[in-house]
């Protein structure tokens, strides 16, 4: 029996030697291609693959898969939710740093209250 | 002349009263729909819209548009690039905070060297 990648299995077609999907979608993981096909359409996935160098294609697939899964988890925000959360975390951390700097400056100018520091 | 949204303009069809795209794609901004159609396919955009509440659809479109633009800017990483950058920034900031805490602890235990603080 000849090899057939997850994409060609889904489309019930022969998997050609030069199949653009074959290296990234083994038949053992049908869900991955299925989700990408549902979110982007197989043609759009192929278009992105063609736009990037061979050695970056696996990474392009991973990030597209990441986007698709994030949209399943949150149909409104998709992976933007993660970006918003990280930005919030950075804002909070920056506020904490500012408070720490203010506290340091305060204690640095209170020589007699050193023990409270 | 009747109203025709950017999607129906692109597809050269009449824009029906209940057109799912009309509220979000005015004909004055054809590029936005065009990019979304290119990245996801119009059908997939409509599918996402149908999945979310009316009052969240504008936000769903914005985040999909954000994803599509990010992929244009970086065909390999897409908007994951931003997530990776933000995570790096958080790691660096956390390292800085740790150093600051270490410095504070150091000076707090060096009563005679207060002026160096």
């Amino acid at each position: 029996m000849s090899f057939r990648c997850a994409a060609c299995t889904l489309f019930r077609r022969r998997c050609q030697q030069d199949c653009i999907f074959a290296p990234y979608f083994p038949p053992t993981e049908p869900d991955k291609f299925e989700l990408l096909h549902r979110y982007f359409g197989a043609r759009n996935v192929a278009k992105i693959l063609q736009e990037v160098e061979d050695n970056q294609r696996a990474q392009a697939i991973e990030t597209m898969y990441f986007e698709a899964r994030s949209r399943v988890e949150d149909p409104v925000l998709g992976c933007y939710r993660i970006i918003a959360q990280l930005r919030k975390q950075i804002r909070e951390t920056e506020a904490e740093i500012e408070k720490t700097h203010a506290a340091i400056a305060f204690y640095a100018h209170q020589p007699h209250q050193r023990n409270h520091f």
Side-chain angles (χ1 to χ4, degrees), chain A residues 106-107 110-117:
Chain A
F106 176 78
Y107 287 114
Q110 302 250 336
H112 300 305
Q113 305 201 357
R114 211 183 165 286
N115 289 340
H116 293 182
F117 183 65

Side-chain angles (χ1 to χ4, degrees), chain A residues 32-100:
Chain A
K32 195 169 181 177
F33 182 79
E34 205 264 317
L35 177 60
L36 282 182
H37 175 48
R38 199 147 39 87
Y39 191 51
F40 296 103
R43 237 180 267 182
N44 291 329
V45 175
K47 255 194 313 193
I48 297 283
L49 284 180
Q50 277 153 355
E51 267 177 49
V52 304
E53 302 288 335
D54 275 22
N55 62 0
Q56 296 191 301
R57 286 182 176 180
Q59 201 167 18
I61 293 290
E62 284 311 310
T63 57
M64 293 179 86
Y65 186 50
F66 176 81
E67 279 181 40
R69 274 179 303 153
S70 303
R71 185 68 62 177
V72 170
E73 283 169 26
D74 187 334
V76 178
L77 298 181
C79 68
Y80 187 80
R81 186 176 61 166
I82 298 164
I83 292 174
Q85 280 170 342
L86 291 172
R87 285 186 177 152
K88 186 168 169 278
Q89 193 182 336
I90 288 175
R91 277 197 309 277
E92 287 169 355
T93 309
E94 279 170 351
E96 200 193 310
I97 291 176
E98 227 165 272
K99 266 169 61 183
T100 311

Side-chain angles (χ1 to χ4, degrees), chain A residues 17-29:
Chain A
Q17 191 94 39
D18 62 348
C19 172
I20 194 165
F21 297 123
Y24 316 105
F25 301 103
T28 45
E29 291 173 36

